[in-house]
Amino acid sequence: MADFDWPWQYKFPPFFTIQPNLETRKKQIEAWCTLILDYQKYLKSYSLDVKEAQNSPLFYNKSISRRLHEDGIYTILGELQKKGHIEWKDKGRKECLIMWRTPEEW
Amino acid sequence: FSARHRPGIVGIERSIQQKNTHTNKQISVAFEDLNKLIQQAKEMVSLTKSIATKIKEKQGDITENETRKFKSYLLSMGIPNPVTRETHGTGDKYYTELARQLSTVLTKPVEESGGMMTLTDVYCRVNRARGMELLSPEDLLHACELMEVLNLPIRLRTFDSGVLVLQSKSQDEEQVIAHTTNYVGENGNCTAEELAQCLGVSVLLAKERLLLTEKVGGVCRDETIEALRFFPNLFLTRPA
């Protein structure tokens, strides 16, 4: 299996801080959404446990020791849900189903 | 024999007692006077309030002499009452003069410190230079608020964080933003402290500069436990 091709943002420390500037944040969240979907596709994984994901390389870049915090993860997952890529498995929003393509696209 | 001249312990005791009653009397007299003074001031307060309502009925034209006079009365008594007075005369003559004076004194130092100075710094400078007849923080603030109306070379400005600064009019905001963006770009990233050291301005102002630049999208932040660092905003500048 070939190594996952990380986008440039992944090595850019500010990527791991949710940006206060609205325009910047929009770009940042967009990049995160693409990254999550690509990564899940690469892992061929359909579900994501928020607690577990915090320590996965997806949200924790050890080489620059930056980590996206829980609040940030929820912000981005919320955005993905709006786009129709995510369905929560439980009401507590601990685990979710990830669809690389939205049901409409299928 | 009067009490003073009586010999023995009784005499000493008596003289001490006498002294005590004397000081007691003095103290109570002093406080009585103070009470009288307060009573008088109270009357003045109620009087000024009734005048304020009278002015209200007339509704404000711009800086009439009457309201102006009235304001300086209030000022000398220490009862600022801006809520009802603001429509009747924009600020006081004392503040106007103070604003003028401040601008002549401060224009140079403000420009020397990079076109901006926090109000607390200004307060320190002015009062340290004065020595006597110091300014109250309120006086300073009111005077500075008038600077823009008076078209003086410096003016008051409030940042989003609530920090108040005096800014020289010649300072160009866009230039500051461009300069900050450049600086961050050249150094890869920086904190407020680093920028402050490089520019020779206070950390507080350096931070405001960075935040201002962030607001227009020139830089973006990296928040960690160690520090708040600012990076060039690659999100916007680098094509995906």
Side-chain angles (χ1 to χ4, degrees), chain A residues 12 14 17 19 21 24 66, chain B residues 214-215 220-223 233:
Chain A
F12 186 50
T17 303
Q19 299 295 323
N21 181 318
T24 315
R66 290 291 187 282
Chain B
E214 181 187 49
K215 210 167 135 193
C220 58
R221 65 172 61 192
D222 167 33
E223 212 167 350
N233 196 344

Side-chain angles (χ1 to χ4, degrees), chain A residues 8-9 12-25 27-29 31 65-67 69, chain B residues 213-224 226 229-236 238-240:
Chain A
W8 65 266
Q9 288 100 333
F12 186 50
F15 193 45
F16 293 83
T17 303
I18 296 293
Q19 299 295 323
N21 181 318
L22 286 182
E23 204 182 332
T24 315
R25 188 192 310 187
K27 288 268 181 197
Q28 180 192 24
I29 288 180
S65 67
R66 290 291 187 282
R67 185 196 281 276
H69 285 279
Chain B
T213 316
E214 181 187 49
K215 210 167 135 193
V216 297
V219 292
C220 58
R221 65 172 61 192
D222 167 33
E223 212 167 350
T224 58
E226 298 150 39
R229 294 195 155 272
F230 287 86
F231 280 71
N233 196 344
L234 297 184
F235 292 117
L236 293 184
R238 183 166 166 161

Side-chain angles (χ1 to χ4, degrees), chain B residues 54-180:
Chain B
K54 260 183 205 163
I55 297 179
K56 209 185 207 168
E57 282 160 14
K58 275 192 189 170
Q59 283 307 327
D61 285 318
I62 7 163
T63 49
E64 291 165 66
N65 257 336
E66 268 179 40
T67 49
R68 199 183 274 177
K69 227 183 211 169
F70 177 59
K71 270 205 166 179
S72 57
Y73 288 148
L74 287 188
L75 256 185
S76 63
M77 285 181 43
I79 20 172
N81 185 12
V83 193
T84 54
R85 280 182 308 145
E86 231 144 49
T87 44
H88 320 292
T90 54
D92 187 76
K93 214 174 179 182
Y94 164 61
Y95 292 137
T96 320
E97 287 307 310
L98 188 60
R100 289 224 168 82
Q101 198 196 11
L102 285 175
S103 96
T104 44
V105 177
L106 288 170
T107 306
K108 227 179 167 192
V110 166
E111 250 154 44
E112 272 165 11
S113 56
M116 237 186 236
M117 200 188 262
T118 58
L119 211 58
T120 38
D121 283 351
V122 171
Y123 183 73
C124 286
R125 259 184 197 246
V126 170
N127 271 342
R128 188 168 288 182
R130 278 195 169 202
M132 295 279 286
E133 291 280 322
L134 300 182
L135 290 180
S136 76
E138 240 187 357
D139 283 353
L140 181 68
L141 180 63
H142 285 314
C144 292
E145 276 168 354
L146 286 178
M147 282 174 172
E148 184 133 31
V149 187
L150 295 173
N151 246 330
L152 296 173
I154 44 177
R155 65 199 168 91
L156 186 71
R157 163 154 193 209
T158 318
F159 282 113
D160 293 341
S161 56
V163 174
L164 293 167
V165 296
L166 276 189
Q167 187 181 32
S168 87
K169 241 180 200 167
S170 58
Q171 194 190 37
D172 189 1
E173 203 147 274
E174 272 164 33
Q175 211 177 334
V176 169
I177 290 172
H179 181 258
T180 314

